[in-house]
PDB file of all heavy atoms in Angstrom:
ATOM      1  N   ILE A  35      -7.355   5.462 -16.792  1.00 98.00           N
ATOM      2  CA  ILE A  35      -6.163   4.661 -16.506  1.00 98.00           C
ATOM      3  C   ILE A  35      -6.199   4.184 -15.053  1.00 98.00           C
ATOM      4  O   ILE A  35      -5.914   3.030 -14.741  1.00 98.00           O
ATOM      5  CB  ILE A  35      -4.878   5.470 -16.783  1.00 98.00           C
ATOM      6  CG1 ILE A  35      -4.781   5.815 -18.271  1.00 98.00           C
ATOM      7  CG2 ILE A  35      -3.649   4.691 -16.345  1.00 98.00           C
ATOM      8  CD1 ILE A  35      -3.601   6.698 -18.623  1.00 98.00           C
ATOM      9  N   GLN A  36      -6.574   5.089 -14.172  1.00 98.00           N
ATOM     10  CA  GLN A  36      -6.637   4.697 -12.760  1.00 98.00           C
ATOM     11  C   GLN A  36      -7.668   3.593 -12.532  1.00 98.00           C
ATOM     12  O   GLN A  36      -7.384   2.585 -11.878  1.00 98.00           O
ATOM     13  CB  GLN A  36      -6.977   5.917 -11.900  1.00 98.00           C
ATOM     14  CG  GLN A  36      -7.526   5.522 -10.526  1.00 98.00           C
ATOM     15  CD  GLN A  36      -7.161   6.491  -9.446  1.00 98.00           C
ATOM     16  OE1 GLN A  36      -6.542   7.520  -9.684  1.00 98.00           O
ATOM     17  NE2 GLN A  36      -7.552   6.176  -8.240  1.00 98.00           N
ATOM     18  N   GLU A  37      -8.864   3.796 -13.111  1.00 98.00           N
ATOM     19  CA  GLU A  37      -9.902   2.773 -12.954  1.00 98.00           C
ATOM     20  C   GLU A  37      -9.422   1.434 -13.502  1.00 98.00           C
ATOM     21  O   GLU A  37      -9.636   0.385 -12.902  1.00 98.00           O
ATOM     22  CB  GLU A  37     -11.178   3.195 -13.693  1.00 98.00           C
ATOM     23  CG  GLU A  37     -11.860   4.421 -13.099  1.00 98.00           C
ATOM     24  CD  GLU A  37     -12.864   5.039 -14.072  1.00 98.00           C
ATOM     25  OE1 GLU A  37     -13.197   4.377 -15.075  1.00 98.00           O
ATOM     26  OE2 GLU A  37     -13.299   6.189 -13.832  1.00 98.00           O
ATOM     27  N   TYR A  38      -8.777   1.510 -14.657  1.00 98.00           N
ATOM     28  CA  TYR A  38      -8.308   0.283 -15.300  1.00 98.00           C
ATOM     29  C   TYR A  38      -7.262  -0.419 -14.446  1.00 98.00           C
ATOM     30  O   TYR A  38      -7.297  -1.632 -14.255  1.00 98.00           O
ATOM     31  CB  TYR A  38      -7.741   0.623 -16.677  1.00 98.00           C
ATOM     32  CG  TYR A  38      -7.547  -0.566 -17.586  1.00 98.00           C
ATOM     33  CD1 TYR A  38      -8.460  -0.872 -18.572  1.00 98.00           C
ATOM     34  CD2 TYR A  38      -6.427  -1.381 -17.454  1.00 98.00           C
ATOM     35  CE1 TYR A  38      -8.277  -1.958 -19.413  1.00 98.00           C
ATOM     36  CE2 TYR A  38      -6.236  -2.474 -18.282  1.00 98.00           C
ATOM     37  CZ  TYR A  38      -7.162  -2.758 -19.264  1.00 98.00           C
ATOM     38  OH  TYR A  38      -6.973  -3.836 -20.086  1.00 98.00           O
ATOM     39  N   LEU A  39      -6.343   0.366 -13.914  1.00 98.00           N
ATOM     40  CA  LEU A  39      -5.314  -0.209 -13.050  1.00 98.00           C
ATOM     41  C   LEU A  39      -5.951  -0.841 -11.811  1.00 98.00           C
ATOM     42  O   LEU A  39      -5.554  -1.919 -11.374  1.00 98.00           O
ATOM     43  CB  LEU A  39      -4.313   0.868 -12.631  1.00 98.00           C
ATOM     44  CG  LEU A  39      -3.276   1.270 -13.672  1.00 98.00           C
ATOM     45  CD1 LEU A  39      -2.511   2.497 -13.217  1.00 98.00           C
ATOM     46  CD2 LEU A  39      -2.312   0.113 -13.928  1.00 98.00           C
ATOM     47  N   ASP A  40      -6.920  -0.151 -11.265  1.00 98.00           N
ATOM     48  CA  ASP A  40      -7.597  -0.710 -10.096  1.00 98.00           C
ATOM     49  C   ASP A  40      -8.191  -2.067 -10.420  1.00 98.00           C
ATOM     50  O   ASP A  40      -8.166  -2.987  -9.603  1.00 98.00           O
ATOM     51  CB  ASP A  40      -8.716   0.238  -9.638  1.00 98.00           C
ATOM     52  CG  ASP A  40      -8.166   1.427  -8.856  1.00 98.00           C
ATOM     53  OD1 ASP A  40      -6.989   1.371  -8.445  1.00 98.00           O
ATOM     54  OD2 ASP A  40      -8.907   2.398  -8.654  1.00 98.00           O
ATOM     55  N   GLU A  41      -8.730  -2.180 -11.637  1.00 98.00           N
ATOM     56  CA  GLU A  41      -9.436  -3.410 -11.983  1.00 98.00           C
ATOM     57  C   GLU A  41      -8.501  -4.525 -12.439  1.00 98.00           C
ATOM     58  O   GLU A  41      -8.693  -5.674 -12.080  1.00 98.00           O
ATOM     59  CB  GLU A  41     -10.462  -3.124 -13.085  1.00 98.00           C
ATOM     60  CG  GLU A  41     -11.096  -4.378 -13.644  1.00 98.00           C
ATOM     61  CD  GLU A  41     -12.582  -4.245 -13.813  1.00 98.00           C
ATOM     62  OE1 GLU A  41     -13.095  -3.113 -13.719  1.00 98.00           O
ATOM     63  OE2 GLU A  41     -13.239  -5.281 -14.040  1.00 98.00           O
ATOM     64  N   TYR A  42      -7.497  -4.188 -13.240  1.00 98.00           N
ATOM     65  CA  TYR A  42      -6.695  -5.244 -13.860  1.00 98.00           C
ATOM     66  C   TYR A  42      -5.262  -5.350 -13.344  1.00 98.00           C
ATOM     67  O   TYR A  42      -4.582  -6.310 -13.651  1.00 98.00           O
ATOM     68  CB  TYR A  42      -6.657  -5.040 -15.381  1.00 98.00           C
ATOM     69  CG  TYR A  42      -8.010  -5.146 -16.039  1.00 98.00           C
ATOM     70  CD1 TYR A  42      -8.691  -4.006 -16.469  1.00 98.00           C
ATOM     71  CD2 TYR A  42      -8.609  -6.380 -16.222  1.00 98.00           C
ATOM     72  CE1 TYR A  42      -9.939  -4.101 -17.076  1.00 98.00           C
ATOM     73  CE2 TYR A  42      -9.845  -6.489 -16.830  1.00 98.00           C
ATOM     74  CZ  TYR A  42     -10.502  -5.343 -17.257  1.00 98.00           C
ATOM     75  OH  TYR A  42     -11.736  -5.455 -17.856  1.00 98.00           O
ATOM     76  N   ASP A  43      -4.774  -4.363 -12.669  1.00 98.00           N
ATOM     77  CA  ASP A  43      -3.391  -4.360 -12.174  1.00 98.00           C
ATOM     78  C   ASP A  43      -2.366  -4.187 -13.283  1.00 98.00           C
ATOM     79  O   ASP A  43      -1.177  -4.305 -13.025  1.00 98.00           O
ATOM     80  CB  ASP A  43      -3.064  -5.631 -11.382  1.00 98.00           C
ATOM     81  CG  ASP A  43      -3.841  -5.677 -10.068  1.00 98.00           C
ATOM     82  OD1 ASP A  43      -4.329  -4.619  -9.638  1.00 98.00           O
ATOM     83  OD2 ASP A  43      -3.945  -6.761  -9.486  1.00 98.00           O
ATOM     84  N   TYR A  44      -2.813  -4.003 -14.519  1.00 98.00           N
ATOM     85  CA  TYR A  44      -1.869  -3.621 -15.566  1.00 98.00           C
ATOM     86  C   TYR A  44      -2.525  -2.513 -16.382  1.00 98.00           C
ATOM     87  O   TYR A  44      -3.747  -2.366 -16.386  1.00 98.00           O
ATOM     88  CB  TYR A  44      -1.474  -4.808 -16.445  1.00 98.00           C
ATOM     89  CG  TYR A  44      -2.601  -5.665 -16.950  1.00 98.00           C
ATOM     90  CD1 TYR A  44      -3.348  -5.269 -18.035  1.00 98.00           C
ATOM     91  CD2 TYR A  44      -2.914  -6.877 -16.337  1.00 98.00           C
ATOM     92  CE1 TYR A  44      -4.376  -6.056 -18.514  1.00 98.00           C
ATOM     93  CE2 TYR A  44      -3.953  -7.674 -16.799  1.00 98.00           C
ATOM     94  CZ  TYR A  44      -4.680  -7.263 -17.892  1.00 98.00           C
ATOM     95  OH  TYR A  44      -5.705  -8.029 -18.354  1.00 98.00           O
ATOM     96  N   PRO A  45      -1.720  -1.718 -17.068  1.00 98.00           N
ATOM     97  CA  PRO A  45      -2.260  -0.522 -17.726  1.00 98.00           C
ATOM     98  C   PRO A  45      -3.031  -0.890 -18.992  1.00 98.00           C
ATOM     99  O   PRO A  45      -2.825  -1.954 -19.575  1.00 98.00           O
ATOM    100  CB  PRO A  45      -1.007   0.295 -18.068  1.00 98.00           C
ATOM    101  CG  PRO A  45       0.127  -0.354 -17.356  1.00 98.00           C
ATOM    102  CD  PRO A  45      -0.257  -1.780 -17.172  1.00 98.00           C
ATOM    103  N   PRO A  46      -3.888  -0.008 -19.441  1.00 98.00           N
ATOM    104  CA  PRO A  46      -4.667  -0.233 -20.661  1.00 98.00           C
ATOM    105  C   PRO A  46      -3.835   0.045 -21.912  1.00 98.00           C
ATOM    106  O   PRO A  46      -2.793   0.682 -21.857  1.00 98.00           O
ATOM    107  CB  PRO A  46      -5.798   0.785 -20.544  1.00 98.00           C
ATOM    108  CG  PRO A  46      -5.203   1.899 -19.744  1.00 98.00           C
ATOM    109  CD  PRO A  46      -4.234   1.262 -18.783  1.00 98.00           C
ATOM    110  N   THR A  47      -4.316  -0.431 -23.038  1.00 98.00           N
ATOM    111  CA  THR A  47      -3.703  -0.089 -24.321  1.00 98.00           C
ATOM    112  C   THR A  47      -4.286   1.242 -24.791  1.00 98.00           C
ATOM    113  O   THR A  47      -5.298   1.711 -24.274  1.00 98.00           O
ATOM    114  CB  THR A  47      -4.025  -1.150 -25.380  1.00 98.00           C
ATOM    115  OG1 THR A  47      -5.439  -1.138 -25.633  1.00 98.00           O
ATOM    116  CG2 THR A  47      -3.625  -2.521 -24.896  1.00 98.00           C
ATOM    117  N   ILE A  48      -3.630   1.819 -25.787  1.00 98.00           N
ATOM    118  CA  ILE A  48      -4.158   3.089 -26.275  1.00 98.00           C
ATOM    119  C   ILE A  48      -5.542   2.907 -26.891  1.00 98.00           C
ATOM    120  O   ILE A  48      -6.374   3.800 -26.830  1.00 98.00           O
ATOM    121  CB  ILE A  48      -3.197   3.738 -27.303  1.00 98.00           C
ATOM    122  CG1 ILE A  48      -2.936   2.799 -28.476  1.00 98.00           C
ATOM    123  CG2 ILE A  48      -1.905   4.150 -26.652  1.00 98.00           C
ATOM    124  CD1 ILE A  48      -2.078   3.425 -29.543  1.00 98.00           C
TER     125      ILE A  48
END
Side-chain angles (χ1 to χ4, degrees):
Chain A
I35 296 176
Q36 160 148 3
E37 294 163 13
Y38 195 100
L39 283 170
D40 282 346
E41 172 136 12
Y42 297 104
D43 292 342
Y44 48 80
T47 65
I48 57 176

